[in-house]
Amino acid sequence: PPGTMAQQVPDMSKMSQTEKDAMMAQVFANATTEMEYRVELFNKMVSGCHEKCIDKKYKDGDLNVGENSCVDRCTSKYWQCVGIVGQMLGAADAAAAQTGR
């Protein structure tokens, strides 16, 4: 089907070593950017949920039941929102690719 990953991957057997090296460098750069993005998302989630759910005066070494429940809900909602935004951006990218932008 159109737009599948198999159609987007160039045939490396027809590439020069310089082209292969450039492609691999780009793949590595993209993976690095993706990892930085994921770390940033995780850190924002931890910071936001900690601010919202954890009492500022630490009384115990462990989370209490209310804090634990709040953290569970907060992290779940955070990743659900990230997923929705990702789907919306993916759909927008696909629509832009179809119109030739």
Side-chain angles (χ1 to χ4, degrees):
T4 62
M5 188 63 143
Q7 292 177 341
Q8 296 173 0
V9 177
D11 183 359
M12 290 184 73
S13 67
K14 297 178 182 177
M15 297 175 130
S16 70
Q17 188 60 45
T18 303
E19 291 171 322
K20 289 178 186 176
D21 291 345
M23 183 177 167
M24 292 309 294
Q26 184 62 47
V27 167
F28 183 75
N30 290 347
T32 300
T33 301
E34 178 71 15
M35 181 60 83
E36 290 168 353
Y37 166 74
R38 295 285 178 169
V39 167
E40 181 181 357
L41 277 177
F42 180 79
N43 287 337
K44 285 181 179 180
M45 178 193 66
V46 168
S47 176
C49 292
H50 182 271
E51 180 73 24
K52 178 180 178 181
C53 297
I54 310 300
D55 189 9
K56 308 301 179 260
K57 299 173 192 159
Y58 293 118
K59 300 173 190 152
D60 296 316
D62 297 325
L63 296 177
N64 65 40
V65 174
E67 290 170 331
N68 198 24
S69 178
C70 180
V71 169
D72 283 345
R73 283 191 314 273
C74 181
T75 56
S76 178
K77 287 178 182 179
Y78 190 90
W79 287 119
Q80 186 178 14
C81 289
V82 166
I84 291 168
V85 169
Q87 288 175 348
M88 292 173 73
L89 290 174
D93 287 347
Q98 272 190 334
T99 60
R101 291 183 191 182

